[in-house]
Amino acid sequence: MEHFYQHRQAGPARPRGPAASLCCLHRLTATLLMSLAVLLSALLPGCATIDLPPVAPLEGHVLKPIADVDLHQISPPMRSFLQQYVAPYQSRADRSWALVWSLLDRNILPFDYDPQLTLTAGDTFDRGSGNCLAFSSLFIAMARAAGLDAWYQEVEVPPQWSSSNNTLLVSLHVNAVLEHRGDQWVIDVSGEKFTSSRRTRRISDDEALAQYYNNFGAEALTRDDLALAYAYFVKAIETEPVLAYLWSNLGVVYSRNGQVDAARRSYQAAIAINPAQSIAANNLFLIYQSEGDLEAARRLQAQVDRHRRKNPYYLYHLSTEAMAQGRYAETVDILDRAIQLNDKEYAFHYQRARAQVLSGDLENAGISLRKAIDLAPADSPVQTASLDFMPELPE
């Protein structure tokens, strides 16, 4: 199975205002078995100088140039907004509060979370929507234009898997930090309360920009547009070379294009940057297995096994194998674990219903099927299913 990939800390007291309750996840990439997976950046350990391989050309494709992007460019409407809501305050502390209030108050700046929408600060302001990278870029751009100190922060959260167009997506989290005289406000449009034990990492503007390009590469990969995905991933690597997930994602493009040697070097680069990069380890493991290099595969086995146990779609794959062999009770047990990791995937509930029907557990099968129908898209064959008629799902 191949894989590719407002809480206040300190500061002056201010009246509480409404905070947007918006999710703030963005996507990156990797592959899984017959499909893909998209991974967000992992927290990187400090590393010494790393010998990175040259980026190999994508064979059989015309290179698509990617234009430079300014994530933080301030538009005239943004300057007018600052002039109206922030400029009247003289002290930095008051301007900090005014900026947070105005950007998070829906009555002042309506904002809708869209996990698919990666935008620059200016486009985010104009459209009033975007993902967490988009909103964080908007906030940081506005803060700096107001003479305040703000930067990106990556937050370590449990991977959240989902599926789209035969592509698996796993998301992590980014937000913005506003700082004044040692006090910090974490501006997080998800509305989540992160505990102090949750690991965070300040990331540079270049890394945020690399994430921007990487997200577009991931979207191109879900459409199987290898040339465009390659162009965006290369642009991201040129922007910030020492990010493990970029090399892992580039490796997936090579792998899909049949360039196994280039894919291997990309995965190895990802692991050299971050030995804990489980997506790259899984993909490299598959290459070693296919080439019969069992010793090299053995060295990655433990890491790959840990990664797969946390991946609900890998568990779904195991359930399909168990089902085909008539091990229905085991199929249900495996799917129970997958659903604990992601209870929003209709295919998991539908597969469990089928296994429960085959094992004679019609009462629980009915419950599972109703859940699957509730979650399935309108054009899914699941919508016409019953306990007497359960069609196979398309691959």
Side-chain angles (χ1 to χ4, degrees), residues 164-375:
S164 172
N165 298 328
N166 255 357
T167 302
L168 299 182
L169 312 173
V170 56
S171 303
L172 298 183
H173 193 64
V174 68
N175 54 32
V177 177
L178 182 65
E179 187 166 11
H180 174 58
R181 293 183 177 175
D183 291 339
Q184 294 179 354
W185 291 269
V186 177
I187 312 304
D188 194 311
V189 293
S190 71
E192 291 189 38
K193 307 298 184 188
F194 295 110
T195 64
S196 58
S197 62
R198 188 66 58 85
R199 288 200 302 168
T200 60
R201 179 173 67 92
R202 179 172 178 167
I203 64 176
S204 67
D205 288 1
D206 281 347
E207 182 167 346
L209 181 57
Q211 291 185 359
Y212 173 92
Y213 293 130
N214 183 74
N215 283 5
F216 283 101
E219 291 174 8
L221 199 51
T222 66
R223 301 191 302 270
D224 210 30
D225 187 340
L226 296 186
L228 187 59
Y230 171 85
Y232 271 117
F233 291 146
V234 170
K235 184 72 170 180
I237 288 172
E238 290 172 351
T239 303
E240 184 58 82
V242 191
L243 288 177
Y245 64 86
L246 299 180
W247 289 94
S248 180
N249 294 345
L250 181 62
V252 173
V253 176
Y254 288 135
S255 181
R256 283 190 163 194
N257 203 48
Q259 295 176 244
V260 178
D261 288 342
R264 183 194 301 106
R265 289 192 297 271
S266 294
Y267 297 142
Q268 288 170 339
I271 294 171
I273 294 168
N274 180 9
Q277 229 294 343
S278 56
I279 295 293
N282 184 85
N283 295 350
L284 189 57
F285 174 82
L286 293 174
I287 289 178
Y288 289 151
Q289 275 194 324
S290 68
E291 294 176 337
D293 191 345
L294 301 184
E295 176 57 28
R298 184 193 61 78
R299 291 194 294 270
L300 294 173
Q301 183 76 59
Q303 182 179 356
V304 169
D305 287 345
R306 285 194 301 272
H307 165 71
R308 288 177 171 179
R309 285 195 297 270
K310 297 176 182 177
N311 185 333
Y313 291 89
Y314 181 74
L315 295 174
Y316 178 73
H317 166 64
L318 294 181
S319 78
T320 301
E321 292 182 341
M323 176 94 82
Q325 296 170 13
R327 295 181 278 117
Y328 305 128
E330 183 180 346
T331 300
V332 172
D333 288 342
I334 294 171
L335 288 166
D336 285 345
R337 285 154 47 203
I339 289 169
Q340 285 181 343
L341 294 168
N342 179 4
D343 66 351
K344 304 301 183 187
E345 176 55 71
Y346 78 94
F348 299 170
H349 297 277
Y350 186 69
Q351 180 97 310
R352 183 168 63 172
R354 295 182 69 235
Q356 288 165 332
V357 166
L358 291 170
S359 64
D361 185 2
L362 297 184
E363 181 178 355
N364 284 318
I367 296 172
S368 296
L369 181 57
R370 285 193 294 274
K371 182 70 171 178
I373 292 172
D374 287 343
L375 293 170

Side-chain angles (χ1 to χ4, degrees), residues 20-32:
S21 179
L22 304 168
C23 187
C24 188
L25 299 174
H26 68 289
R27 306 167 309 150
L28 312 168
T29 78
T31 44
L32 180 110

